[in-house]
């Protein structure tokens, strides 16, 4: 008995005091980015297990679902919920007798219906590009300590949304003034409300601004508006409110392929009245052409960039090499010359203004350089190189 007593006494007296209570699950939170779901949605759902001190514990829960939904795994810290029909889904997570439930009302709205369709009106263009334009009325980006920002929220004024839609409606006519009607556009516009906020951002220490450049942040929109089909769009253009003390920022243009080699550009709302939105929209989209025709390894051998008069390779930011100017909209006359630069680069009619000056644009000799020459458009956009499936918002040949 004495030995046993000493053993117990020694065991209890080790340490600085009474033994701490082992953490146990007290509650479960079911977390997902989306509160409203649609038929066909497939979203990741996570279970947060909290102890008596609201400290998150590692562990797995038992998942179950009732209603028109399916789950990918039944025992894990995460599962994937797939919506199969309209109605109400109840998702349940259980661990050691603790239960959490989350209900989803499945909307019957056909959210993949585009808000506006502006088909090409040109009679005989050399090429027609098909854009998907996503206009985010709101952003609600969660706080991200690793990326150095608190929660970011912003809303586009209603008149700004209307103005941007009108700009897209007139986009082809505007560019045709500078391209001579060689370049056509089919444009599908989706105005997206707060059901689909952008979800990520990061602080660029080099540019001293927040930038959203994550292509995977568009995954859900790609599912809704593009689906698994190919050959529908060449380019996705994103317009969203991200300004004042967070910008301005036009972020990056193309350069990153999306699904099926769709390129992506993005543009933020500027409050400066001097800034012409059209400069940034066209500029960022042309970066997509650079990706498709100059930097794609399958095409770069045939789609040679050519040289500027100073011997440098042609690129979108290299307009001074040919004598063009442009300061992205702050000066009307220089912006006009920059519109000519973007049009000439796109059609393959870059002029040499180094001797005559940019003010005498009409007197500059045509070098025949840029996109659209030497058969660069003979394949059409990159989308045609994939297994083609007719469909989408516009008729396809």
């Amino acid at each position: 008995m004495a030995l046993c007593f000493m053993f117990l006494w020694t065991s209890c007296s080790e340490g600085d005091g009474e033994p701490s209570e082992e953490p146990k699950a007290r509650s479960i939170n079911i977390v997902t980015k989306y509160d409203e779901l649609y038929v066909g949605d497939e979203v990741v759902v996570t279970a947060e297990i909290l102890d008596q001190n609201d400290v998150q514990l590692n562990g797995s829960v038992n998942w179950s679902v009732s209603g028109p939904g399916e789950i990918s795994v039944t025992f894990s810290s995460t599962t994937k919920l797939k919506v199969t029909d309209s109605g109400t889904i109840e998702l349940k997570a259980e661990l050691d007798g603790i239960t959490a439930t989350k209900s989803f009302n499945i909307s019957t709205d056909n959210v993949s219906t585009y808000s506006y369709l502006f088909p090409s009106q040109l009679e005989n263009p050399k090429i027609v590009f098909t854009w998907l334009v996503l206009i985010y009325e709101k952003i609600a980006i969660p706080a991200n300590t690793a990326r150095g920002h608190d929660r970011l929220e912003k809303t586009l004024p209603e008149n700004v949304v209307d103005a941007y839609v009108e700009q897209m409606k007139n986009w082809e006519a505007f560019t045709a003034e500078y391209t001579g009607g060689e370049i056509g556009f089919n444009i599908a516009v989706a105005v997206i409300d707060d059901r689909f906020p952008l979800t990520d951002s990061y602080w660029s220490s080099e540019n001293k601004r927040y930038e959203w450049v994550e292509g995977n942040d568009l995954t859900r929109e790609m599912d809704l508006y593009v689906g698994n089909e190919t050959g529908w769009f060449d380019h996705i253009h994103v317009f969203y409110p991200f300004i004042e003390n967070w910008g301005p920022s036009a972020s990056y243009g193309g350069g990153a392929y999306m699904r099926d080699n769709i390129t992506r550009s993005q543009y933020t709302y500027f409050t400066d009245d001097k800034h012409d939105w059209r400069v940034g929209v066209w500029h960022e989209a042309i970066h997509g052409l650079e990706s498709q025709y100059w930097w794609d390894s399958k095409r770069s051998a045939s789609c040679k960039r050519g040289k500027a008069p100073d011997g440098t390779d042609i690129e979108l930011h290299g307009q001074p090499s040919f004598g063009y100017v442009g300061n992205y909209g702050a000066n009307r006359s220089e912006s006009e010359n920059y519109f000519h630069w973007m049009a000439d680069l796109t059609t393959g009619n870059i002029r040499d203004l180094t001797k005559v000056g940019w003010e005498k644009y009409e007197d500059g000799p045509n070098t025949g350089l840029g996109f659209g020459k030497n058969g660069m458009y003979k394949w059409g956009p990159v989308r045609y190189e994939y297994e083609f499936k007719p469909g989408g918002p516009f008729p396809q040949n």
Side-chain angles (χ1 to χ4, degrees):
M1 292 293 295
L3 290 174
C4 182
F5 172 81
M6 290 183 65
F7 173 79
L8 291 174
W9 181 87
T10 302
S11 174
C12 293
S13 62
E14 289 182 347
D16 296 330
E18 294 183 0
S20 60
E21 183 180 351
E22 181 179 351
K24 294 182 180 180
R26 180 186 59 83
S27 63
I28 301 172
N29 291 331
I30 297 178
V31 180
T32 180
K33 291 192 295 184
Y34 309 110
D35 292 324
E36 189 173 14
L37 301 180
Y38 301 86
V39 177
D41 269 354
E42 195 167 354
V43 297
V44 174
V45 183
T46 301
E48 289 183 349
I49 306 170
L50 303 178
D51 69 7
Q52 63 273 21
N53 297 314
D54 288 332
V55 176
Q56 187 169 341
L57 304 176
N58 294 323
S60 297
V61 300
N62 290 297
W63 294 101
S64 61
V65 63
S66 60
E70 300 173 352
I71 53 177
S72 58
V73 295
T74 57
F75 185 72
S76 175
S77 59
T78 63
T79 190
K80 186 176 289 186
L81 174 63
K82 182 177 182 180
V83 180
T84 58
D85 203 349
S86 60
T88 300
I89 290 176
E90 185 174 87
L91 186 64
K92 181 183 294 185
E94 188 273 334
L95 175 63
D96 296 337
I98 302 170
T99 301
T101 60
K102 187 174 182 66
S103 296
F104 300 91
N105 292 319
I106 310 306
S107 175
T108 57
D109 294 339
N110 184 6
V111 294
S112 62
T113 299
Y114 306 94
S115 304
Y116 304 91
L117 295 177
F118 304 129
S120 175
Q121 302 295 313
L122 298 183
E123 293 185 1
N124 191 31
K126 287 186 176 180
I127 190 170
V128 176
F129 293 106
T130 301
W131 284 9
L132 170 62
V133 177
L134 304 176
I135 301 176
Y136 287 84
E137 291 185 313
K138 300 179 181 180
I139 60 169
I141 300 175
N144 190 325
T145 303
R147 290 191 165 183
H149 64 78
D150 297 326
R151 181 175 175 85
L152 305 176
E153 295 187 13
K154 202 71 179 175
T155 301
L156 284 175
E158 184 176 350
N159 67 309
V160 172
V161 175
D162 293 342
Y164 208 78
V165 170
E166 188 69 14
Q167 176 176 291
M168 292 298 99
K169 178 182 179 180
N170 298 322
W171 185 257
E172 184 181 68
F174 157 66
T175 57
E177 293 180 14
Y178 298 91
T179 67
E182 291 188 12
I183 309 297
F185 292 92
N186 293 319
I187 297 182
V189 179
V191 179
I192 300 171
D193 62 17
D194 58 339
R195 291 176 299 185
F196 306 103
L198 298 178
T199 58
D200 203 8
S201 181
Y202 82 100
W203 175 259
S204 170
S205 57
E206 178 181 358
N207 297 320
K208 306 300 182 184
R209 65 193 184 192
Y210 289 116
E211 295 183 333
W212 168 70
V213 296
E214 302 290 345
N216 59 11
D217 210 16
L218 294 179
T219 300
R220 195 177 194 214
E221 287 76 0
M222 293 286 285
D223 290 341
L224 288 169
Y225 296 100
V226 181
N228 294 318
E229 305 302 323
T230 58
W232 285 18
F233 297 102
D234 309 301
H235 190 76
I236 293 181
H237 176 73
V238 182
F239 182 64
Y240 59 104
F242 208 49
I243 189 60
E244 293 179 359
N245 58 320
W246 306 336
S249 166
S251 299
Y252 291 98
Y257 284 132
M258 298 290 291
R259 185 178 306 168
D260 304 325
N261 267 18
I262 299 171
T263 59
R264 168 181 56 87
S265 68
Q266 51 207 22
Y267 190 63
T268 58
Y269 165 49
F270 284 81
T271 56
D272 186 349
D273 292 337
K274 295 180 180 179
H275 192 95
D276 192 323
W277 293 352
R278 297 174 299 182
V279 176
V281 173
W282 205 356
H283 175 101
E284 300 301 339
I286 291 174
H287 276 310
L289 296 183
E290 290 182 309
S291 301
Q292 290 181 345
Y293 292 96
W294 284 340
W295 303 334
D296 187 331
S297 61
K298 294 188 298 183
R299 294 183 169 208
S300 57
S302 301
C303 303
K304 295 182 179 180
R305 295 164 65 179
K307 300 286 185 179
D310 63 1
T312 59
D313 289 334
I314 301 172
E315 52 98 9
L316 177 57
H317 291 278
Q319 76 274 9
S321 300
F322 286 90
Y324 293 75
V325 296
N327 59 356
Y328 310 103
N331 179 285
R332 180 67 261 174
S333 60
E334 292 189 359
S335 292
E336 187 73 15
N337 188 250
Y338 194 72
F339 287 139
H340 281 298
W341 162 251
M342 291 188 288
D344 295 343
L345 173 63
T346 305
T347 59
N349 293 294
I350 300 176
R351 299 179 183 232
D352 184 355
L353 307 180
T354 56
K355 295 182 175 61
V356 301
W358 65 271
E359 298 91 340
K360 297 182 178 181
Y361 169 81
E362 298 295 340
D363 297 332
N366 190 338
T367 67
L369 296 173
F371 303 113
K373 294 293 183 180
N374 303 319
M376 289 183 71
Y377 288 153
K378 68 182 180 181
W379 302 283
V382 172
R383 60 190 164 97
Y384 288 121
E385 297 177 1
Y386 285 76
E387 181 182 356
F388 185 72
K389 296 180 181 179
F394 300 103
Q396 305 283 347
N397 295 326

